[in-house]
Amino acid sequence: MVIDAELAWEKLVRRDADAELFYAVITTGVFCRVGCASRRPKRENVRFFGTAMEARGAGFRPCNRCKPDIARGSVLDKIRAHIEANLDRAVPLAELALVAKLSPFTVQRLFKREAGVSPLQYQRALRTNRLRASLKQGDSVTDAIYNAGFGSSSRAYEAAPLGMTPARFATGGKGERIGYASAPTPFGWMVVGATERGLCWLALSATKPEAEETLRDEFPKAELRRDASLAKLIDAALASVREGSDLRESRLSATAFDLRGTVFQLRVWNALRRIPRGQTRTYSQLAREMGEPNATRAVARACAMNRVAVLVPCHRVVGVSGSLTGYRWGVERKKKLLVAEQAR
Ligand SMILES: [Zn+2]
């Protein structure tokens, strides 16, 4: 195949993701798709190829980032598209094999090599978290998989106990009915919000209107209605500060959560719930406890995104020197909560 180098270079500069065109960099020995997001090489060091095989044949190694030797444009995209179009059900491997016109074994192997997880795991992740929403917002599939907590850990699913459903929260709670109640507490006005599935919001503010406003801000499109029976959730939150998580078996187990996030966020929020009352962790300790020692910053971000203060005790995470760092509901409140939890 004769390649117009001028045109090819243009495609490289544009990072044309659709082009089935490859370039190798003589100085690094690596070859990429022209759509690869890696740093643009100097033009004089670049050689173009029509297929990955030719680039390999010329002695170049495939880039780890764009994985140019995987036939992404065809089969894998088809498989993904099919999975994503059928998220409401489990799609068996045999069906994917038919779609891809490959053996189930090959589908499994190809997919795992590209995505790092099996097609079935991928489906489960898509279905149980906000991956789909994240993709719509423009994250790449790879980012979305990473954000969903895959990559290194085989424990991607330990978040399951929180029982989340697909991400309708992504659109400001559109179509959701959220009941709420608020009450004054020693830590400020507390507002709780719950869907039919469970507690989805707990915030602390200076005044009752401010507290209730937080709910409206978070779920602007939800149908909100006051529900006095939810005051029991406020009691449960206060009890968790006063008496600790020993109560989980009795009172707290009756508290259903409706938390929605990426698999990774849910893992972090679960890990927070395992920090006993009266104790604190640093972000890096928490990351280590989750088996993700390199994910400290991602852990901190997930803590900051917590929607259920107190009962998902992100206030129990502090800076390395014991400093209080930030708190979505105000550092003063974090301090008060921790002091109250130190008390016997
Ligand atoms: Zn590349």
PDB file of all heavy atoms in Angstrom, residues 23 34 58 108 112 120 131 153 181 189 216 241 248 252 283 310-311 318:
ATOM      1  N   TYR A  23       2.123   4.953  12.584  1.00  0.00           N
ATOM      2  CA  TYR A  23       3.421   5.577  12.394  1.00  0.00           C
ATOM      3  C   TYR A  23       4.400   5.027  13.419  1.00  0.00           C
ATOM      4  O   TYR A  23       4.016   4.669  14.534  1.00  0.00           O
ATOM      5  CB  TYR A  23       3.334   7.107  12.499  1.00  0.00           C
ATOM      6  CG  TYR A  23       3.071   7.635  13.894  1.00  0.00           C
ATOM      7  CD1 TYR A  23       4.132   7.977  14.740  1.00  0.00           C
ATOM      8  CD2 TYR A  23       1.778   7.806  14.358  1.00  0.00           C
ATOM      9  CE1 TYR A  23       3.896   8.480  16.007  1.00  0.00           C
ATOM     10  CE2 TYR A  23       1.530   8.299  15.627  1.00  0.00           C
ATOM     11  CZ  TYR A  23       2.592   8.631  16.455  1.00  0.00           C
ATOM     12  OH  TYR A  23       2.344   9.117  17.715  1.00  0.00           O
ATOM     13  N   VAL A  34      -2.136   6.669  14.279  1.00  0.00           N
ATOM     14  CA  VAL A  34      -1.983   8.116  14.139  1.00  0.00           C
ATOM     15  C   VAL A  34      -2.871   8.858  15.139  1.00  0.00           C
ATOM     16  O   VAL A  34      -2.614  10.007  15.482  1.00  0.00           O
ATOM     17  CB  VAL A  34      -2.288   8.621  12.702  1.00  0.00           C
ATOM     18  CG1 VAL A  34      -1.202   8.198  11.751  1.00  0.00           C
ATOM     19  CG2 VAL A  34      -3.651   8.184  12.230  1.00  0.00           C
ATOM     20  N   ALA A  58       8.906  -4.257  10.352  1.00  0.00           N
ATOM     21  CA  ALA A  58      10.052  -3.364  10.200  1.00  0.00           C
ATOM     22  C   ALA A  58      10.821  -3.216  11.517  1.00  0.00           C
ATOM     23  O   ALA A  58      11.738  -2.410  11.613  1.00  0.00           O
ATOM     24  CB  ALA A  58       9.565  -1.992   9.719  1.00  0.00           C
ATOM     25  N   GLN A 108     -12.979 -13.628  24.403  1.00  0.00           N
ATOM     26  CA  GLN A 108     -12.565 -13.464  25.796  1.00  0.00           C
ATOM     27  C   GLN A 108     -11.124 -12.958  25.884  1.00  0.00           C
ATOM     28  O   GLN A 108     -10.818 -12.010  26.594  1.00  0.00           O
ATOM     29  CB  GLN A 108     -12.709 -14.826  26.500  1.00  0.00           C
ATOM     30  CG  GLN A 108     -12.214 -14.854  27.933  1.00  0.00           C
ATOM     31  CD  GLN A 108     -13.314 -14.483  28.906  1.00  0.00           C
ATOM     32  OE1 GLN A 108     -14.380 -14.040  28.509  1.00  0.00           O
ATOM     33  NE2 GLN A 108     -13.057 -14.641  30.183  1.00  0.00           N
ATOM     34  N   LYS A 112      -9.982  -9.196  26.953  1.00  0.00           N
ATOM     35  CA  LYS A 112      -9.213  -9.062  28.194  1.00  0.00           C
ATOM     36  C   LYS A 112      -7.896  -8.344  27.950  1.00  0.00           C
ATOM     37  O   LYS A 112      -7.457  -7.547  28.767  1.00  0.00           O
ATOM     38  CB  LYS A 112      -8.934 -10.441  28.800  1.00  0.00           C
ATOM     39  CG  LYS A 112      -9.826 -10.726  29.998  1.00  0.00           C
ATOM     40  CD  LYS A 112      -9.368 -11.921  30.787  1.00  0.00           C
ATOM     41  CE  LYS A 112      -9.000 -11.495  32.186  1.00  0.00           C
ATOM     42  NZ  LYS A 112      -9.200 -12.543  33.170  1.00  0.00           N
ATOM     43  N   LEU A 120     -17.655 -10.137  30.458  1.00  0.00           N
ATOM     44  CA  LEU A 120     -18.703 -10.240  31.470  1.00  0.00           C
ATOM     45  C   LEU A 120     -18.481  -9.245  32.613  1.00  0.00           C
ATOM     46  O   LEU A 120     -19.409  -8.580  33.080  1.00  0.00           O
ATOM     47  CB  LEU A 120     -18.735 -11.674  32.016  1.00  0.00           C
ATOM     48  CG  LEU A 120     -20.087 -12.108  32.546  1.00  0.00           C
ATOM     49  CD1 LEU A 120     -21.095 -12.214  31.419  1.00  0.00           C
ATOM     50  CD2 LEU A 120     -19.964 -13.438  33.284  1.00  0.00           C
ATOM     51  N   LEU A 131     -20.475   4.199  34.605  1.00  0.00           N
ATOM     52  CA  LEU A 131     -19.574   4.168  33.469  1.00  0.00           C
ATOM     53  C   LEU A 131     -20.232   4.746  32.227  1.00  0.00           C
ATOM     54  O   LEU A 131     -19.663   5.535  31.492  1.00  0.00           O
ATOM     55  CB  LEU A 131     -19.155   2.725  33.221  1.00  0.00           C
ATOM     56  CG  LEU A 131     -18.031   2.461  32.233  1.00  0.00           C
ATOM     57  CD1 LEU A 131     -16.871   3.395  32.479  1.00  0.00           C
ATOM     58  CD2 LEU A 131     -17.582   1.031  32.359  1.00  0.00           C
ATOM     59  N   SER A 153      -6.872  -4.127  40.422  1.00  0.00           N
ATOM     60  CA  SER A 153      -7.451  -4.874  41.523  1.00  0.00           C
ATOM     61  C   SER A 153      -8.429  -5.926  41.058  1.00  0.00           C
ATOM     62  O   SER A 153      -9.251  -5.718  40.186  1.00  0.00           O
ATOM     63  CB  SER A 153      -8.163  -3.930  42.469  1.00  0.00           C
ATOM     64  OG  SER A 153      -8.796  -4.675  43.467  1.00  0.00           O
ATOM     65  N   ALA A 181     -35.974  15.119  55.069  1.00  0.00           N
ATOM     66  CA  ALA A 181     -36.305  15.639  56.387  1.00  0.00           C
ATOM     67  C   ALA A 181     -35.079  16.378  56.890  1.00  0.00           C
ATOM     68  O   ALA A 181     -33.955  16.081  56.469  1.00  0.00           O
ATOM     69  CB  ALA A 181     -36.650  14.492  57.331  1.00  0.00           C
ATOM     70  N   TRP A 189     -27.510  22.101  61.056  1.00  0.00           N
ATOM     71  CA  TRP A 189     -28.746  21.550  60.519  1.00  0.00           C
ATOM     72  C   TRP A 189     -28.410  20.376  59.614  1.00  0.00           C
ATOM     73  O   TRP A 189     -27.579  20.491  58.727  1.00  0.00           O
ATOM     74  CB  TRP A 189     -29.526  22.602  59.741  1.00  0.00           C
ATOM     75  CG  TRP A 189     -30.442  23.358  60.655  1.00  0.00           C
ATOM     76  CD1 TRP A 189     -30.120  24.453  61.385  1.00  0.00           C
ATOM     77  CD2 TRP A 189     -31.814  23.040  60.937  1.00  0.00           C
ATOM     78  NE1 TRP A 189     -31.208  24.864  62.132  1.00  0.00           N
ATOM     79  CE2 TRP A 189     -32.261  24.013  61.876  1.00  0.00           C
ATOM     80  CE3 TRP A 189     -32.704  22.047  60.514  1.00  0.00           C
ATOM     81  CZ2 TRP A 189     -33.561  24.015  62.380  1.00  0.00           C
ATOM     82  CZ3 TRP A 189     -34.000  22.050  61.010  1.00  0.00           C
ATOM     83  CH2 TRP A 189     -34.419  23.021  61.941  1.00  0.00           C
ATOM     84  N   ARG A 216     -31.515  20.468  46.908  1.00  0.00           N
ATOM     85  CA  ARG A 216     -31.998  20.999  45.637  1.00  0.00           C
ATOM     86  C   ARG A 216     -30.845  21.221  44.653  1.00  0.00           C
ATOM     87  O   ARG A 216     -30.984  20.996  43.459  1.00  0.00           O
ATOM     88  CB  ARG A 216     -32.736  22.315  45.861  1.00  0.00           C
ATOM     89  CG  ARG A 216     -34.200  22.245  45.527  1.00  0.00           C
ATOM     90  CD  ARG A 216     -34.900  23.536  45.883  1.00  0.00           C
ATOM     91  NE  ARG A 216     -35.323  23.540  47.285  1.00  0.00           N
ATOM     92  CZ  ARG A 216     -36.398  22.902  47.734  1.00  0.00           C
ATOM     93  NH1 ARG A 216     -37.148  22.221  46.914  1.00  0.00           N
ATOM     94  NH2 ARG A 216     -36.739  22.941  48.999  1.00  0.00           N
ATOM     95  N   VAL A 241     -22.327   8.667  65.510  1.00  0.00           N
ATOM     96  CA  VAL A 241     -21.301   9.536  66.085  1.00  0.00           C
ATOM     97  C   VAL A 241     -21.187   9.265  67.591  1.00  0.00           C
ATOM     98  O   VAL A 241     -20.096   9.157  68.147  1.00  0.00           O
ATOM     99  CB  VAL A 241     -21.656  11.021  65.856  1.00  0.00           C
ATOM    100  CG1 VAL A 241     -20.662  11.932  66.568  1.00  0.00           C
ATOM    101  CG2 VAL A 241     -21.688  11.317  64.364  1.00  0.00           C
ATOM    102  N   ARG A 248     -24.121  -0.968  63.910  1.00  0.00           N
ATOM    103  CA  ARG A 248     -24.443  -1.314  62.532  1.00  0.00           C
ATOM    104  C   ARG A 248     -25.399  -2.501  62.468  1.00  0.00           C
ATOM    105  O   ARG A 248     -26.323  -2.536  61.693  1.00  0.00           O
ATOM    106  CB  ARG A 248     -23.159  -1.629  61.763  1.00  0.00           C
ATOM    107  CG  ARG A 248     -23.422  -1.894  60.299  1.00  0.00           C
ATOM    108  CD  ARG A 248     -22.187  -1.683  59.466  1.00  0.00           C
ATOM    109  NE  ARG A 248     -21.659  -0.337  59.618  1.00  0.00           N
ATOM    110  CZ  ARG A 248     -20.428   0.006  59.317  1.00  0.00           C
ATOM    111  NH1 ARG A 248     -19.600  -0.888  58.875  1.00  0.00           N
ATOM    112  NH2 ARG A 248     -20.015   1.238  59.475  1.00  0.00           N
ATOM    113  N   LEU A 252     -28.191   0.488  62.119  1.00  0.00           N
ATOM    114  CA  LEU A 252     -27.684   0.895  60.816  1.00  0.00           C
ATOM    115  C   LEU A 252     -27.987  -0.105  59.713  1.00  0.00           C
ATOM    116  O   LEU A 252     -28.121   0.266  58.557  1.00  0.00           O
ATOM    117  CB  LEU A 252     -26.178   1.133  60.885  1.00  0.00           C
ATOM    118  CG  LEU A 252     -25.774   2.473  61.456  1.00  0.00           C
ATOM    119  CD1 LEU A 252     -24.294   2.677  61.253  1.00  0.00           C
ATOM    120  CD2 LEU A 252     -26.544   3.606  60.805  1.00  0.00           C
ATOM    121  N   TYR A 283      -5.358   9.549  53.896  1.00  0.00           N
ATOM    122  CA  TYR A 283      -5.790   9.095  52.577  1.00  0.00           C
ATOM    123  C   TYR A 283      -4.922   7.930  52.094  1.00  0.00           C
ATOM    124  O   TYR A 283      -5.416   6.981  51.504  1.00  0.00           O
ATOM    125  CB  TYR A 283      -5.742  10.249  51.568  1.00  0.00           C
ATOM    126  CG  TYR A 283      -6.757  11.322  51.875  1.00  0.00           C
ATOM    127  CD1 TYR A 283      -6.384  12.553  52.376  1.00  0.00           C
ATOM    128  CD2 TYR A 283      -8.115  11.076  51.687  1.00  0.00           C
ATOM    129  CE1 TYR A 283      -7.323  13.526  52.677  1.00  0.00           C
ATOM    130  CE2 TYR A 283      -9.061  12.036  51.979  1.00  0.00           C
ATOM    131  CZ  TYR A 283      -8.663  13.272  52.479  1.00  0.00           C
ATOM    132  OH  TYR A 283      -9.598  14.212  52.776  1.00  0.00           O
ATOM    133  N   VAL A 310     -21.350  11.819  57.481  1.00  0.00           N
ATOM    134  CA  VAL A 310     -21.508  11.170  58.789  1.00  0.00           C
ATOM    135  C   VAL A 310     -21.689   9.649  58.668  1.00  0.00           C
ATOM    136  O   VAL A 310     -20.887   8.886  59.211  1.00  0.00           O
ATOM    137  CB  VAL A 310     -22.663  11.785  59.618  1.00  0.00           C
ATOM    138  CG1 VAL A 310     -22.690  11.164  61.022  1.00  0.00           C
ATOM    139  CG2 VAL A 310     -22.505  13.299  59.697  1.00  0.00           C
ATOM    140  N   LEU A 311     -22.717   9.181  57.973  1.00  0.00           N
ATOM    141  CA  LEU A 311     -22.950   7.734  57.891  1.00  0.00           C
ATOM    142  C   LEU A 311     -21.969   7.054  56.940  1.00  0.00           C
ATOM    143  O   LEU A 311     -21.670   5.880  57.081  1.00  0.00           O
ATOM    144  CB  LEU A 311     -24.391   7.434  57.473  1.00  0.00           C
ATOM    145  CG  LEU A 311     -25.405   7.587  58.618  1.00  0.00           C
ATOM    146  CD1 LEU A 311     -26.825   7.457  58.087  1.00  0.00           C
ATOM    147  CD2 LEU A 311     -25.156   6.583  59.734  1.00  0.00           C
ATOM    148  N   VAL A 318      -8.031  12.096  57.599  1.00  0.00           N
ATOM    149  CA  VAL A 318      -7.311  13.332  57.923  1.00  0.00           C
ATOM    150  C   VAL A 318      -5.980  13.381  57.176  1.00  0.00           C
ATOM    151  O   VAL A 318      -5.577  12.395  56.546  1.00  0.00           O
ATOM    152  CB  VAL A 318      -7.051  13.435  59.447  1.00  0.00           C
ATOM    153  CG1 VAL A 318      -8.374  13.486  60.212  1.00  0.00           C
ATOM    154  CG2 VAL A 318      -6.207  12.256  59.923  1.00  0.00           C
TER     155      VAL A 318
END
